[in-house]
Amino acid sequence: MEKYVATPQLGIKEAVQLACSRLFDFKGRSRRSEFWWFMFVFYLVCYVLGLFLSYFLPSVTAAIINSSLWIFAMGVTIRRLQDNGHSKWWVILAFIVSIVCNAYLVNSDFMFELSSVNVNPESIVKSLVNDPYIMYLSLLDTVFNIVIVVMCLMDGKPNPNKYGESPKYQLASEA
């Protein structure tokens, strides 16, 4: 039986550099440290950029630009799932469901009521009851994202899988 040894964890700088050098690489595998450090920096950048854009652009335009940045996080997320042997289709389907959910919300009475000056809770509940697709789509989006987060939390398999060699584990003779 082969014995695998874990290599040292990546630091924030090397993890973000590695993830950024492979932004559009959907093949291979990524370690947890690469994924989580990249996502930490990515969320900070998106938050700051979102604040900055919201001051200078209409809110819909700022939201579209900020949402389009999620394409940059897809590569590292797909590689992270592939480290556990899971398919990239989880991320692609979650992205599609999120786009459909957000597009539906933007065009619904719910968002109109929610963004009004004097928000009336009764009218918000009424718009939700009259349009159950909002709740269904939001629930589906939430479930997909929770499943992906859980899969990203799990440690990668030490053995090579159909997506390549493990980025974390090496055979004891190679280490």
Side-chain angles (χ1 to χ4, degrees):
M1 183 165 159
E2 299 172 326
K3 180 166 170 68
Y4 289 93
V5 177
T7 56
Q9 185 175 336
L10 298 175
I12 186 168
K13 182 179 177 184
E14 58 190 344
V16 172
Q17 285 176 341
L18 180 60
C20 287
S21 70
R22 300 172 62 194
L23 279 179
F24 297 106
D25 179 11
F26 303 106
K27 295 181 176 146
R29 299 165 66 172
S30 287
R31 297 179 65 164
R32 279 187 296 188
S33 55
E34 176 187 349
F35 174 78
W36 290 110
W37 280 124
F38 175 79
M39 292 307 281
F40 174 72
V41 171
F42 179 76
Y43 275 110
L44 285 176
V45 168
C46 282
Y47 179 73
V48 170
L49 189 63
L51 287 176
F52 179 76
L53 291 175
S54 66
Y55 286 119
F56 298 107
L57 297 173
S59 60
V60 172
T61 307
I64 290 171
I65 292 171
N66 212 359
S67 296
S68 65
L69 292 175
W70 281 99
I71 293 171
F72 295 122
M74 283 182 74
V76 72
T77 307
I78 287 171
R79 289 192 312 272
R80 179 70 209 124
L81 292 186
Q82 291 175 165
D83 192 34
N84 290 317
H86 300 292
S87 173
K88 65 181 120 196
W89 285 105
W90 282 99
V91 177
I92 294 168
L93 288 174
F95 190 67
I96 291 169
V97 168
S98 180
I99 289 172
V100 170
C101 182
N102 288 329
Y104 193 82
L105 279 173
V106 166
N107 294 316
S108 70
D109 291 337
F110 177 73
M111 286 304 282
F112 177 75
E113 293 293 334
L114 202 59
S115 62
S116 64
V117 177
N118 295 321
V119 178
N120 182 358
E122 292 173 4
S123 63
I124 291 174
V125 171
K126 184 179 177 185
S127 66
L128 281 175
V129 170
N130 289 338
D131 194 357
Y133 292 116
I134 293 173
M135 292 175 37
Y136 295 142
L137 286 171
S138 297
L139 180 65
L140 188 62
D141 188 32
T142 302
V143 168
F144 261 111
N145 287 305
I146 288 172
V147 168
I148 289 173
V149 166
V150 168
M151 285 192 278
C152 288
L153 285 169
M154 297 180 340
D155 193 17
K157 307 291 184 214
N159 304 353
N161 64 20
K162 64 182 179 180
Y163 303 108
E165 296 286 328
S166 172
K168 178 179 179 180
Y169 296 101
Q170 295 179 350
L171 283 172
S173 60
E174 295 175 10

